[in-house]
Amino acid sequence: MSGWQGCVQYLFYYETPKTLVIPNITVGFVFRFTQLLVVLYVLGYVCLVQKAYQETDSVVSTVTTKVKGFAFTNASSIKYWDVADYVIPPQGGNSFFVLTNMIVTFRQTRSRCPLFPDHSTVCVDDCDCIEGLNDPRGSGIQTGLCENFSTTVKTCEVISWCPLEIDSHLPDHALLDSAENFTVLIKNSITYPKFNFYRRNIAPHINSSYLRSCEFNRSSDPDCPIFRLKNIVSEAGEDFQDMAVKGGILGIIIDWSCDLDWWARKCSPKYSFRRLDSRIPNNDVAPGYNFRFAKYYMDQGGEEFRTLFKAYGIRFDVIVFGTAGKFGVVPTVVNLGAALTFLSLVPLVADWFLLTCLRKKDLYSRHKVSYLREDTDSEGETMRTIFGTK
């Protein structure tokens, strides 16, 4: 029964914090130093670096590009190349492709022709060929006939666009090597919907006459939205002529991270460039970037034929990202509350140090928690004894 009485009495005990002043330099230093660390963390990292007092929003962006330049080449039937020839497709989303090298197969018609010889196509007679065989990685549908590829070799015949493409002889030097001097105009409009904020990468002071003569330079002309392709590739750490042979993918990265508070209101794009496709020096399997397209014609007899291009070149992907911040009451109050919570934990650190690391920890421990009886004043006598007062 006494146990239950003790539990009931404990329910009605009242605990209140007691101020225990300890004139100890070591404890005082630990207490103030911990407070200083908390204040520096809140002011330096949370406020200045993370800017946790701000509301944030992600960028919404649209991009259009326009490439200009021309080139001459003697390596194909096309002598003069302009933007309609080497930019494929003429209008893209956030990317554009510039043709730099190619393999051309002229005057292909829908007909029958023998496959190029390899271990799977060489035959002796018709029994070695399967009629109707359609290999997705092959060059056509087999007819079941074994035909002469040359005077010494016979291969299976296919229905396809003939003559078949020979794509094993890529020019060692890019045919459109002068593509490095082409320029691209990038028009980028962004908005932060939460803050009703709009901006373009073409600054308000830029006019048409300026655009006709400017070229982006990180030090002398950072506001110009016109970029020379050679400089883009160079800033990505690549050589244009080397990359132009087999192609590749480059990223034009536009960072719109902005501080929209009135005391730091500056929002302008920051450009960087990076190669995006993986290139392993010791692994030359499926390198670069290429695809095929064809131009179709009709002869006088009404027969359709085409010229097939295997196009190698550089695809430029325009990648836009960014986050804007602006002062907000809610995040400020939340982080102020978090800071006060951290400060309230500082005495716990000092108490731990006091009761764990000091030589008189047992003495401090006895007086840290006191049980007061209302019919005695022994507590006051004890405190006067500790601090040497009368």
Side-chain angles (χ1 to χ4, degrees):
M1 190 64 181
S2 60
W4 286 102
Q5 289 178 347
C7 292
V8 171
Q9 290 179 354
Y10 181 77
L11 290 176
F12 295 97
Y13 284 179
Y14 172 67
E15 297 178 357
T16 182
K18 180 179 67 173
T19 302
L20 182 63
V21 181
I22 303 175
N24 187 296
I25 296 178
T26 304
V27 178
F29 175 79
V30 170
F31 179 67
R32 297 304 179 189
F33 182 71
T34 308
Q35 281 184 325
L36 178 63
L37 291 180
V38 171
V39 171
L40 291 178
Y41 168 77
V42 172
L43 295 180
Y45 181 76
V46 175
C47 293
L48 296 181
V49 178
Q50 294 294 321
K51 297 183 179 178
Y53 58 86
Q54 292 183 332
E55 294 181 324
T56 59
D57 193 16
S58 297
V59 70
V60 178
S61 168
T62 182
V63 174
T64 59
T65 59
K66 183 182 292 185
V67 181
K68 287 189 176 181
F70 60 87
F72 290 92
T73 177
N74 295 320
S76 71
S77 60
I78 303 177
K79 306 297 182 181
Y80 172 81
W81 297 75
D82 64 12
V83 65
D85 299 313
Y86 57 73
V87 176
I88 307 166
Q91 294 187 16
N94 287 5
S95 65
F96 60 94
F97 174 83
V98 176
L99 177 69
T100 57
N101 209 358
M102 59 187 166
I103 297 173
V104 185
T105 306
F106 295 101
R107 203 171 180 83
Q108 285 187 319
T109 60
R110 291 187 178 94
S111 57
R112 301 184 177 201
C113 50
L115 291 167
F116 292 112
D118 62 28
H119 68 280
S120 62
T121 62
V122 173
C123 59
V124 178
D125 53 36
D126 295 346
C127 296
D128 297 326
C129 302
I130 304 174
E131 184 178 1
L133 178 63
N134 182 9
D135 184 358
R137 292 175 293 183
S139 300
I141 302 174
Q142 291 192 19
T143 62
L145 301 178
C146 183
E147 298 292 338
N148 291 323
F149 178 82
S150 65
T151 56
T152 58
V153 179
K154 299 178 72 176
T155 60
C156 294
E157 184 186 64
V158 293
I159 299 174
S160 183
W161 284 95
C162 301
L164 299 177
E165 177 191 56
I166 305 175
D167 64 351
S168 57
H169 303 298
L170 179 67
D172 295 330
H173 187 74
L175 296 178
L176 274 73
D177 53 357
S178 57
E180 65 180 12
N181 293 317
F182 297 166
T183 61
V184 56
L185 167 63
I186 299 177
K187 295 185 287 185
N188 179 210
S189 300
I190 63 101
T191 179
Y192 288 104
K194 180 185 290 188
F195 307 126
N196 197 28
F197 180 84
Y198 301 88
R199 191 59 60 92
R200 299 177 67 201
N201 68 325
I202 301 178
H205 69 273
I206 293 179
N207 54 36
S208 299
S209 60
Y210 172 79
L211 284 180
R212 283 194 291 268
S213 60
C214 79
E215 182 179 314
F216 176 83
N217 185 285
R218 199 170 294 280
S219 56
S220 62
D221 204 350
D223 294 332
C224 181
I226 298 178
F227 303 81
R228 190 172 297 274
L229 301 189
K230 178 181 179 179
N231 296 338
I232 294 176
V233 177
S234 177
E235 286 210 27
E238 302 288 337
D239 179 78
F240 188 93
Q241 295 300 330
D242 179 59
M243 193 174 182
V245 175
K246 295 183 179 180
I249 303 175
L250 275 178
I252 301 174
I253 303 169
I254 308 177
D255 180 7
W256 280 96
S257 297
C258 301
D259 187 346
L260 301 183
D261 287 323
W262 63 268
W263 57 82
R265 193 179 182 87
K266 184 178 181 182
C267 191
S268 57
K270 293 176 279 294
Y271 300 97
S272 60
F273 312 97
R274 183 178 302 171
R275 184 164 185 172
L276 301 180
D277 61 316
S278 60
R279 190 185 65 163
I280 304 174
N282 297 327
N283 188 350
D284 199 32
V285 178
Y289 181 78
N290 65 80
F291 61 91
R292 291 176 175 84
F293 70 96
K295 294 185 177 181
Y296 294 85
Y297 308 91
M298 192 79 69
D299 63 15
Q300 295 180 349
E303 182 182 6
E304 184 184 41
F305 67 96
R306 74 178 189 182
T307 298
L308 177 65
F309 297 86
K310 185 174 183 181
Y312 293 80
I314 303 175
R315 193 184 80 192
F316 295 87
D317 293 346
V318 184
I319 303 170
V320 182
F321 73 97
T323 302
K326 193 174 184 179
F327 176 81
V329 175
V330 174
T332 300
V333 172
V334 170
N335 285 279
L336 181 60
L340 294 176
T341 302
F342 285 136
L343 286 174
S344 68
L345 297 177
V346 173
L348 298 179
V349 176
D351 286 348
W352 173 85
F353 181 80
L354 176 73
L355 302 175
T356 305
C357 302
L358 294 184
R359 183 169 54 86
K360 296 183 179 181
K361 59 185 177 181
D362 294 332
L363 174 63
Y364 299 140
S365 178
R366 286 198 303 270
H367 294 282
K368 183 70 173 68
V369 178
S370 299
Y371 185 86
L372 177 65
R373 294 186 181 278
E374 295 180 348
D375 56 350
T376 182
D377 192 28
S378 60
E379 177 66 17
E381 294 294 335
T382 303
M383 295 301 294
R384 283 192 291 271
T385 301
I386 294 176
F387 295 106
T389 60
K390 294 183 179 180

